[in-house]
Amino acid sequence: MARVTIKDVAKKANVSTATVSRVLNNVGFVSEEIKKRVFDAVDQLNYQPNAVARSLKQDKTNTIGVVIPDISNPYFMTISKGIEDTIQELGYQLIFCSSDENPEKESGFLRLLYGNRVEAIVLATSGKNEELIDDIHRAGIPIILMDRRIEQPDLKLNLVEEDNLQAAYDITKSLIEQGHTNIGVVNGPDHVSTAKDRYLGYKKAIDAYGIAEDPNLTFNGAFSQEGGRQAVEHFLNLKKKPTAILALNNAMAFGVLLELFKRGYRVPEDMTVASYGEIEAAELLQNLCITSIKQYPYEMGKKIGNLILNCLLKKDVPPSHEVIQSTLVLPNKNQKNE
Amino acid sequence: MARVTIKDVAKKANVSTATVSRVLNNVGFVSEEIKKRVFDAVDQLNYQPNAVARSLKQDKTNTIGVVIPDISNPYFMTISKGIEDTIQELGYQLIFCSSDENPEKESGFLRLLYGNRVEAIVLATSGKNEELIDDIHRAGIPIILMDRRIEQPDLKLNLVEEDNLQAAYDITKSLIEQGHTNIGVVNGPDHVSTAKDRYLGYKKAIDAYGIAEDPNLTFNGAFSQEGGRQAVEHFLNLKKKPTAILALNNAMAFGVLLELFKRGYRVPEDMTVASYGEIEAAELLQNLCITSIKQYPYEMGKKIGNLILNCLLKKDVPPSHEVIQSTLVLPNKNQKNE
């Protein structure tokens, strides 16, 4: 069946297309009787106004695009829930794109969202798209950076991030104070700000305690569960195995645990594990002793939601840079706030 | 900065807008020298062709919309991975919308995707949108139903689902054969086909063994983790508590486990638990004895991806209805295939 057009509706209702448009967009005066005729025709023909054509005129799509590196990571989905709870009352909808930590895929999605004229873009970047981000920003689409900075100091965008360096310093310091000097670190991709900052935090802590950096003890786990598994394999093949493994995000930490358990290692008896971020599954393991950084993704989402509303509803609000302090949770302390 | 238009590019390159269009769309003859002038102007002005305007002409967005009830459920995300791996080589991209099991929200997303002229829509429906789905289908946008049927027998759409009734029958029968006659069932919303079929499978099994249906032993957990927690509270407040709890999806099963553990119940010593679907976290708990249904979401995604390609690349392929058989996994059998 060919798509029903506004002309078909006008013909059926025996009015002009301008009248149909006035009724559907609720502008100008139209008598109740004619309104009824138009709505009846719309119903009978199953007319769906083409939202793209309409949005080209109205300059409004009410859609916010969210580009994240890993749509299956509960951390990003909890942030998104916070955003959604903040913006949905005003009629905005979120659509999601998952870049899989792949800058090229991210670039495709940014172009797609820009081309589809979303009202704003929330981006947790996988890196390397500074120029394109700058272009979209210049074109007047608000971009809010979520969790991750971009390497373009001249470009001032809204940004909500954690104090990654401090938190990574805290958790490393805690491991050292628990007696570990041989710590295996599972890091993320080094072109991502969170990975970079967390590694710097770790480095700062070992420096402070006079522990030498050992390249064998750093493994790039690509922020993925699979990367965490591979890191365990790497560390356990070393001549001098680490006594603790610090995973610098939740997905890698989960992979580390899965691989250690698979190999029959007990935690912490055979290996100490520390996780930057909470592992949802760990709630099931009441006797699991790991040190972790508690993040506040829902709160981050609320802040981002408010920044989106600032951008869309107010004029001339300068870009804001908000930093969330995460907290260290020691094993067996029952510090759970949730 | 105002958005750069094709006119600005034409002016800068000192050619007509038609020439710019020919160069950018790579049609017709244009000399190398003029091509270079156009591309230089595009670069200098940071010109981004408006993809909506362009797609209105080209009738092509290369985007597939995916509407799912719970974007944080690994089951749906694994299906999506299967879809993506099948279609991305042909240049299609997925965008995701999460309806939160809310038919009204789903309707908004369907209209949004339709309006933005996605090439196809993959839908795991939260129910009640049969008419709108029919309209979109009639408008020529392929809709592929994922995991869930719609209640409109006249409307023939592509569909990939599990044999939910059979699998629910199998898992209930297994509980009965383990000696349970008092089974608490945590069900999903009854306007969703998977919830309905799974409940029918459970009913068929208790009927076969002459066990009476007890309304107190059925709890609508809305397919959510929180629903699973609430179900435990409900069941434990009954005078005659069940000896087993059967959760009819993975999220509710995870909620059941979390709540039982919180209350100090051991599984299976104090309560038997069965889950329709695998709980990712359960991999951490090697001594967790639960009966479960193993699903094959990645395979479902591959099948859906192929149906999308059929719809987009071939003409006149009749709609296909594919059913995946899930398998029963008994505790301690080490039947893991992954």
Side-chain angles (χ1 to χ4, degrees):
Chain A
M1 204 177 89
R3 190 173 290 191
V4 175
T5 68
I6 193 166
K7 281 184 197 166
D8 302 319
V9 175
K11 201 173 159 193
K12 180 118 195 159
N14 200 18
V15 297
S16 70
T17 53
T19 302
V20 176
S21 174
R22 276 206 300 278
V23 172
L24 295 183
N25 294 305
N26 201 19
V27 289
F29 174 77
V30 185
S31 75
E32 289 305 313
E33 190 257 329
I34 287 182
K35 269 189 196 163
K36 187 175 177 318
R37 256 163 49 202
V38 170
F39 283 124
D40 285 350
V42 164
D43 281 349
Q44 285 163 30
L45 297 171
N46 283 321
Y47 173 62
Q48 304 272 344
N50 184 320
V52 171
R54 209 178 44 198
S55 73
L56 278 173
K57 278 191 213 157
Q58 295 187 342
D59 217 31
K60 198 112 172 70
T61 61
N62 279 334
T63 305
I64 314 290
V66 180
V67 183
I68 48 185
D70 179 4
I71 206 169
S72 67
N73 190 327
Y75 175 70
F76 290 112
M77 294 325 295
T78 308
I79 299 178
S80 301
K81 187 86 189 89
I83 298 174
E84 193 169 44
D85 288 351
T86 313
I87 65 168
Q88 74 180 357
E89 265 181 64
L90 285 134
Y92 293 103
Q93 294 176 306
L94 298 182
I95 59 176
F96 295 93
C97 307
S98 185
S99 65
D100 294 337
E101 299 285 1
N102 177 343
E104 208 176 312
K105 212 167 157 186
E106 175 177 302
S107 149
F109 281 125
L110 289 172
R111 286 173 203 276
L112 177 82
L113 294 172
Y114 170 64
N116 277 289
R117 300 175 56 266
V118 293
E119 309 270 322
I121 294 174
V122 179
L123 170 67
T125 183
S126 304
K128 301 183 182 170
N129 283 310
E130 290 78 10
E131 260 185 64
L132 177 60
I133 293 165
D134 195 2
D135 285 351
I136 295 175
H137 170 69
R138 279 166 191 273
I141 313 280
I143 297 187
I144 292 95
L145 299 176
M146 154 161 102
D147 186 51
R148 300 172 171 195
R149 289 192 311 276
I150 58 171
E151 300 305 317
Q152 185 122 322
D154 293 343
L155 178 56
K156 302 285 182 234
L157 298 174
N158 281 298
L159 163 68
V160 184
E161 63 174 344
E162 294 177 7
D163 192 344
N164 290 286
L165 195 152
Q166 182 64 45
Y169 173 84
D170 291 345
I171 196 167
T172 310
K173 180 167 173 269
S174 158
L175 287 175
I176 297 169
E177 288 178 351
Q178 287 165 43
H180 300 283
T181 52
N182 208 28
I183 303 168
V185 181
V186 198
N187 196 11
D190 64 5
H191 54 271
V192 174
S193 70
T194 45
K196 212 179 304 180
D197 291 356
R198 290 175 195 174
Y199 193 79
L200 286 174
Y202 151 80
K203 183 74 172 47
K204 188 179 158 191
I206 61 169
D207 285 354
Y209 285 84
I211 299 169
E213 193 178 5
D214 175 354
N216 277 326
L217 286 175
T218 301
F219 186 90
N220 182 347
F223 277 158
S224 75
Q225 192 175 308
E226 185 52 33
R229 287 187 183 269
Q230 290 166 357
V232 168
E233 195 182 348
H234 167 78
F235 291 138
L236 296 186
N237 280 331
L238 292 178
K239 260 196 191 148
K240 197 182 169 196
K241 293 178 193 34
T243 58
I245 298 178
L246 166 60
L248 291 178
N249 90 340
N250 57 348
M252 298 190 298
F254 189 45
V256 164
L257 286 178
L258 287 174
E259 189 62 28
L260 285 172
F261 285 18
K262 195 179 135 193
R263 292 168 181 255
Y265 276 68
R266 291 163 306 160
V267 174
E269 293 86 344
D270 305 320
M271 180 68 78
T272 291
V273 173
S275 167
Y276 192 112
E278 288 176 301
I279 307 168
E280 210 182 14
E283 225 187 306
L284 283 178
L285 298 162
Q286 282 162 324
N287 52 356
L288 180 72
C289 284
I290 64 170
T291 303
S292 64
I293 292 294
K294 180 175 166 61
Q295 300 176 289
Y296 297 90
Y298 187 77
E299 288 71 17
M300 182 180 280
K302 297 283 276 187
K303 282 182 192 292
I304 292 170
N306 285 323
L307 290 175
I308 295 172
L309 295 180
N310 267 352
C311 290
L312 297 180
L313 306 176
K314 298 177 188 169
K315 302 263 175 228
D316 291 327
V317 181
S320 157
H321 177 187
E322 306 188 14
V323 178
I324 293 175
Q325 300 296 335
S326 314
T327 53
L328 180 69
V329 182
L330 296 172
N332 294 328
K333 287 264 172 168
N334 291 321
Q335 286 196 358
K336 279 191 185 158
N337 302 326
E338 285 169 330
Chain B
M1 203 176 89
R3 190 173 290 190
V4 176
T5 68
I6 193 166
K7 282 184 198 165
D8 301 320
V9 176
K11 200 172 158 193
K12 181 118 194 158
N14 201 19
V15 297
S16 69
T17 54
T19 302
V20 174
S21 175
R22 276 205 300 279
V23 172
L24 295 184
N25 294 302
N26 200 20
V27 287
F29 175 77
V30 186
S31 75
E32 288 305 314
E33 189 257 327
I34 287 183
K35 269 190 197 162
K36 187 177 179 316
R37 254 160 54 198
V38 170
F39 283 125
D40 285 351
V42 165
D43 280 351
Q44 283 164 31
L45 297 170
N46 281 322
Y47 173 61
Q48 303 273 343
N50 184 320
V52 172
R54 207 178 42 195
S55 72
L56 279 173
K57 278 192 215 155
Q58 295 188 340
D59 217 29
K60 200 107 172 75
T61 62
N62 279 335
T63 306
I64 314 290
V66 180
V67 183
I68 48 185
D70 179 2
I71 206 168
S72 66
N73 189 325
Y75 175 69
F76 290 113
M77 295 326 294
T78 308
I79 299 179
S80 302
K81 188 86 190 87
I83 299 174
E84 193 169 45
D85 288 350
T86 314
I87 65 169
Q88 74 181 357
E89 265 182 63
L90 284 133
Y92 293 103
Q93 292 177 306
L94 298 182
I95 61 176
F96 295 93
C97 307
S98 185
S99 65
D100 294 337
E101 298 285 2
N102 179 342
E104 209 176 311
K105 212 166 157 188
E106 175 176 302
S107 148
F109 281 126
L110 288 172
R111 285 172 203 277
L112 177 82
L113 294 174
Y114 171 62
N116 276 289
R117 302 175 55 265
V118 293
E119 309 270 322
I121 294 175
V122 179
L123 171 66
T125 183
S126 304
K128 300 182 183 171
N129 283 311
E130 291 77 10
E131 262 185 63
L132 177 60
I133 293 166
D134 195 0
D135 286 352
I136 295 174
H137 170 67
R138 278 166 192 275
I141 313 279
I143 296 187
I144 291 95
L145 298 177
M146 153 160 100
D147 187 51
R148 300 173 171 194
R149 288 193 310 277
I150 59 170
E151 300 305 317
Q152 185 122 322
D154 293 342
L155 178 56
K156 304 284 182 235
L157 298 175
N158 281 298
L159 162 67
V160 184
E161 63 174 344
E162 295 177 8
D163 192 344
N164 290 285
L165 195 151
Q166 181 65 45
Y169 174 83
D170 291 345
I171 196 168
T172 309
K173 180 167 173 269
S174 157
L175 287 175
I176 297 170
E177 289 178 349
Q178 288 166 43
H180 300 283
T181 53
N182 208 29
I183 303 168
V185 180
V186 198
N187 197 10
D190 63 6
H191 53 270
V192 173
S193 69
T194 45
K196 213 179 305 181
D197 291 354
R198 291 175 195 175
Y199 192 79
L200 286 175
Y202 152 79
K203 184 74 173 46
K204 187 179 159 192
I206 60 169
D207 285 354
Y209 284 84
I211 299 168
E213 193 178 3
D214 175 354
N216 277 325
L217 287 176
T218 302
F219 187 90
N220 183 344
F223 277 157
S224 75
Q225 191 175 309
E226 184 53 32
R229 285 187 183 271
Q230 290 166 357
V232 169
E233 193 180 350
H234 168 78
F235 291 138
L236 296 185
N237 281 330
L238 292 177
K239 260 194 190 147
K240 197 182 169 195
K241 294 178 192 35
T243 57
I245 298 178
L246 166 60
L248 291 178
N249 90 339
N250 57 347
M252 298 190 298
F254 189 45
V256 165
L257 286 177
L258 288 174
E259 189 63 26
L260 285 173
F261 285 16
K262 194 179 136 192
R263 290 166 182 256
Y265 276 66
R266 290 162 306 159
V267 174
E269 293 86 345
D270 305 321
M271 180 68 78
T272 292
V273 173
S275 166
Y276 193 113
E278 288 177 301
I279 306 167
E280 209 181 15
E283 225 188 306
L284 282 179
L285 298 161
Q286 281 161 323
N287 52 355
L288 179 73
C289 285
I290 66 170
T291 303
S292 64
I293 293 294
K294 178 174 167 61
Q295 302 175 288
Y296 297 90
Y298 187 77
E299 287 72 16
M300 182 180 279
K302 296 284 276 186
K303 281 181 193 293
I304 293 170
N306 284 323
L307 290 176
I308 297 171
L309 296 181
N310 268 351
C311 291
L312 297 180
L313 306 177
K314 299 178 188 169
K315 301 265 173 225
D316 290 328
V317 181
S320 158
H321 176 187
E322 304 189 13
V323 178
I324 293 174
Q325 301 295 332
S326 315
T327 53
L328 180 69
V329 182
L330 296 173
N332 293 329
K333 289 260 175 170
N334 291 321
Q335 286 196 356
K336 279 191 184 158
N337 301 327
E338 284 169 333

